[in-house]
Amino acid sequence: MIVEGKVLKFGDKIDTDIIIPARYLKYTDPQYLAQHAMEPLDPEFYKKASAGVILVAGKVFGMGSSREQAAIALKAAGVKAIIAESFARIFYRNAINNGLPAIVLPDATKLINQDDYVKVNVETGEIIVNNQKVYKGRGITGMPLKILESGGLLDYLKKVSVKG
Amino acid sequence: MPQTLTEKILSRAAGKSVSPGDVVEINVDIAAFHDLTGYHVIEVMEKAGMLKVFDKQKIVIAFDHLAPPPDVRSAEIQTQIRKFVKQLSIPNFHDINVGILHQILLEKYANPGYVIVAADSHTTTSGAVGAFAQGLGASDVAAAVITGKTWIMVPQPFKITLEGKPGKWINGKDVSLKILGDFKADYFNGMSIEVFVKEPSAFPMDFRATVSNMGIEMNADALMFVPDEETINYIKTNRGYEPPTIRPDEEAKYVDEYTIELNKLEPLVAAPHSVDNVKTVNEVEGLDVDQVYIGSCTNGRLSDFEMAAKILKGKRVKTRCIAIPASYDLFKKAMDLGYIEILVNAGCVVTYGTCGPCLGGHFGVAGPGETIVSTSSRNFKGRMGSNDSKVYLSGPAVAAATALEGKITDPRRFS
């Protein structure tokens, strides 16, 4: 599974109240959530992400709330994958459960710049920046990969229960 | 092999001996959700075509985030969940008159050694009684509600020891903030924290609940107090039975350890917009404040109200002050003990059992340019309302002293 796109870069500790503020949590419609993604930091995020982007961020991306709308909003806004120095545990699971690849790359914010063009091999964690530099992040394997390839936990569960 | 509390609990839940780094499927003892995430959990179950629960007795549902409903959509969400509760005959359902989910889990359900998952990050609170408790998203909780199972990567255990006795105005919040200030918010990612209290009665359950609650702010997988006589007394007093005991083995290995001398702690605050931007109260003293909030699943317990009442007795607040005990049971106890009367007479707005202002939901949302001192758990940008507001986190003593003076104030002035 290869995903690619232009980089939108953020810093450390991007929390879930930034990704999707609590006032939007009464709905789960992806398009509605997408319009408010990252609103406190950048009200124009939705427009910037719509062409399909790769987010690059620092430490504990997605820290805070369990709100699954955070992953739904980013994916629906056009985020193809997130490369971060580390992820908060709940967000990481929510991302995988919603078919949004999350790749750990220590020093990601030092190695990759805003507007770089990035190609990510989700399974191996290989990251190619501007068709030149290659970095090795932590890929997604095992059950999380199966969930991701199914498009999310719901579709994975459906598939498994049909087989079972 | 000697085992930590984390390994003991997760080994039982996995049905085999586990070690840090193992990825295993585990049985859960309780799966829970509240109104704001609950409708999403049910939506996932419906979409999967699996509207069933693994064990009715092990599902706990409480209305807190949208309680009582501030708008029609919130009321609609609660109506949908009540329908689900009725349809599946869920017995452990707590409507708007009971309180915040995490407090209810602590008061009525959590036992030492339990695995608890719930659709809210502050599920870590149940670690106060030695339960391995963690928040999950709606999809993961839906799967746990249907199957009684979830998967986990066994975290690395880290040991914290609390020594001595805390001073008069020190509370669990100061311990949470001390840990966050010293280690920062990303340090414990992938770890579970086990806390040993040298003098169990010196650090009561209320304080423990605050520290466990903020385990998620430390990004720990769980934050558990090793069960001791304080744990047994708490459950015995609240529920009338002696809980099962579980403790780590003496020789159990931890990745690292850290000791906090409680008597050396001073009142701390977390300045905007990060939980680990920790300062002593004296570093920010004198800053003008618009609103104070005393409550939430972090610091809405009886000892919090006792501290606030001691400071506010016979006086009037200079800021807006909102006070919300974490459950209806605590509200009644605080009323019987006279704390509610003291706070109301001091000019506080008091209600019970809602998450309300903590997440900028209702009942005290922050306006543009406002500065808030809050006993809740998070001061993220825009957390309590406007993106242009600023939230300082503190314990109840700093919050009450601040309400009284209209600016951030050291409670030690009120000896």
Side-chain angles (χ1 to χ4, degrees):
Chain A
M1 194 176 176
I2 309 270
V3 290
E4 56 192 291
K6 212 167 96 170
V7 168
L8 275 183
K9 194 169 157 181
F10 293 90
D12 287 338
K13 295 186 281 186
I14 297 299
D15 62 69
T16 47
D17 283 272
I18 286 173
I19 299 172
I20 186 78
R23 57 185 170 278
Y24 304 118
L25 300 181
K26 291 169 199 168
Y27 299 91
T28 57
D29 172 46
Q31 289 317 313
Y32 167 79
L33 294 168
Q35 285 168 31
H36 301 289
M38 304 294 254
E39 199 175 79
L41 271 193
D42 184 0
E44 301 290 301
F45 178 83
Y46 178 49
K47 286 179 199 156
K48 290 178 190 167
S50 61
V53 293
I54 308 281
L55 291 196
V56 170
K59 288 171 181 162
V60 282
F61 186 91
M63 66 184 274
S65 164
S66 72
R67 59 189 71 164
E68 198 158 311
Q69 287 96 332
I72 297 172
L74 292 178
K75 193 184 176 196
V79 175
K80 301 289 171 210
I82 306 167
I83 301 167
E85 292 172 10
S86 65
F87 288 90
R89 178 187 55 82
I90 307 175
F91 179 86
Y92 184 84
R93 290 179 72 130
N94 285 343
I96 302 293
N97 286 345
N98 286 280
L100 177 61
I103 308 292
V104 178
L105 177 69
D107 294 330
T109 55
K110 290 185 191 128
L111 302 174
I112 306 173
N113 296 312
Q114 178 80 7
D115 298 329
D116 277 351
Y117 193 86
V118 162
K119 257 187 207 174
V120 184
N121 182 321
V122 172
E123 204 170 337
T124 63
E126 193 181 75
I127 298 161
I128 304 169
V129 182
N130 297 331
N131 286 316
Q132 295 167 342
K133 289 178 183 157
V134 181
Y135 301 110
K136 180 82 176 73
R138 196 182 79 204
I140 301 167
T141 54
M143 199 171 88
L145 182 69
K146 283 180 198 158
I147 295 170
L148 199 64
E149 284 172 343
S150 304
L153 183 65
L154 194 63
D155 294 310
Y156 174 75
L157 287 177
K158 278 185 193 163
K159 218 193 264 178
V160 170
S161 69
V162 169
K163 270 189 203 161
Chain B
M1 263 236 323
Q3 285 189 308
T4 60
L5 186 59
T6 306
E7 288 161 313
K8 276 195 178 176
I9 295 174
L10 296 179
S11 291
R12 183 190 57 82
K16 62 179 182 187
S17 185
V18 302
S19 304
D22 291 353
V23 177
V24 289
E25 192 173 63
I26 52 170
N27 292 304
V28 305
D29 296 289
I30 294 171
F33 54 79
H34 52 61
D35 40 9
L36 187 57
T37 53
Y39 86 94
H40 194 177
V41 172
I42 295 168
E43 194 177 285
V44 174
M45 293 169 75
E46 279 171 347
K47 278 187 188 162
M50 287 182 268
L51 205 61
K52 58 180 184 183
V53 301
F54 78 106
D55 184 341
K56 279 178 205 173
Q57 296 294 339
K58 293 180 177 177
I59 309 295
V60 178
I61 301 169
F63 286 171
D64 54 15
H65 279 60
L66 312 171
D71 52 44
V72 174
R73 174 60 187 150
S74 302
E76 185 182 46
I77 284 171
Q78 293 190 348
T79 303
Q80 283 170 352
I81 299 173
R82 285 191 195 97
K83 198 177 136 199
F84 170 86
V85 164
K86 209 173 168 186
Q87 207 177 340
L88 297 179
S89 309
I90 307 286
N92 303 319
F93 166 61
H94 304 285
D95 212 310
I96 64 159
N97 60 343
V98 185
I100 301 178
L101 174 66
H102 308 302
Q103 178 60 22
I104 294 168
L105 286 170
L106 203 55
E107 284 175 10
K108 299 179 192 292
Y109 301 100
N111 269 319
Y114 268 23
V115 171
I116 301 176
V117 297
D120 190 287
S121 60
H122 288 109
T123 306
T124 50
T125 312
S126 284
V129 294
F132 188 93
Q134 55 174 220
L136 294 172
S139 292
D140 273 329
V141 170
V145 165
I146 296 164
T147 64
K149 295 176 197 298
T150 190
W151 65 272
I152 192 168
M153 182 188 274
V154 180
Q156 304 285 338
F158 185 100
K159 179 177 178 176
I160 291 181
T161 306
L162 304 184
E163 273 183 7
K165 288 184 176 141
K168 189 178 179 186
W169 301 118
I170 298 300
N171 170 286
K173 185 57 129 304
D174 303 299
V175 171
S176 303
L177 295 179
K178 172 75 178 157
I179 297 169
L180 277 162
D182 285 358
F183 288 92
K184 300 298 171 188
D186 60 315
Y187 184 83
F188 294 106
N189 211 348
M191 294 188 204
S192 67
I193 302 172
E194 299 185 12
V195 185
F196 293 69
V197 185
K198 278 271 177 71
E199 296 174 52
S201 62
F203 208 71
M205 193 51 67
D206 280 12
F207 290 18
R208 296 177 186 208
T210 303
V211 179
S212 287
N213 173 278
M214 291 189 72
I216 185 64
E217 265 51 74
M218 301 162 203
N219 277 288
D221 279 17
L223 193 159
M224 298 181 280
F225 278 79
V226 171
D228 54 25
E229 56 260 41
E230 186 65 20
T231 320
I232 295 167
N233 287 340
Y234 173 80
I235 293 176
K236 226 169 153 180
T237 311
N238 268 272
R239 303 184 217 152
Y241 65 84
E242 209 158 299
T245 50
I246 181 168
R247 284 183 70 86
D249 292 321
E250 292 284 337
E251 302 298 315
K253 284 200 168 58
Y254 291 85
V255 284
D256 209 346
E257 60 179 287
Y258 170 74
T259 299
I260 295 175
E261 292 177 69
L262 295 170
N263 59 334
K264 287 190 180 163
L265 282 181
E266 52 181 320
L268 299 172
V269 300
H273 296 289
S274 185
V275 286
D276 59 6
N277 190 12
V278 175
K279 300 177 187 304
T280 66
V281 67
N282 300 123
E283 287 178 86
V284 286
E285 211 176 359
L287 188 85
D288 285 333
V289 168
D290 300 290
Q291 179 176 299
V292 168
Y293 171 42
I294 300 168
S296 83
C297 63
T298 312
N299 272 118
R301 297 187 183 81
L302 212 53
S303 64
D304 301 312
F305 277 76
E306 184 186 1
M307 260 189 207
K310 274 184 185 158
I311 289 171
L312 295 175
K313 190 170 184 180
K315 305 187 182 100
R316 291 288 294 182
V317 294
K318 284 193 188 137
T319 63
R320 306 193 302 271
C321 181
I322 293 162
I324 308 179
S327 75
Y328 191 36
D329 188 49
L330 291 178
F331 183 93
K332 283 188 285 190
K333 283 179 180 155
M335 199 157 63
D336 292 343
L337 289 163
Y339 305 152
I340 301 293
E341 196 181 353
I342 291 168
L343 265 61
V344 169
N345 286 338
C348 302
V349 176
V350 187
T351 185
Y352 65 83
T354 180
C355 300
C358 169
L359 72 158
H362 59 117
F363 217 87
V365 174
E370 290 196 324
T371 299
I372 314 277
V373 166
S374 172
T375 68
S376 60
S377 56
R378 288 182 181 141
N379 60 349
F380 302 159
K381 192 173 165 67
R383 168 74 179 179
M384 291 184 75
S386 167
N387 292 333
D388 300 321
S389 61
K390 291 193 178 83
V391 181
Y392 287 77
L393 301 177
S394 80
V398 170
T402 298
L404 204 56
E405 300 294 328
K407 51 194 180 189
I408 295 182
T409 299
D410 187 340
R412 289 171 295 188
R413 285 177 47 195
F414 303 91
S415 56

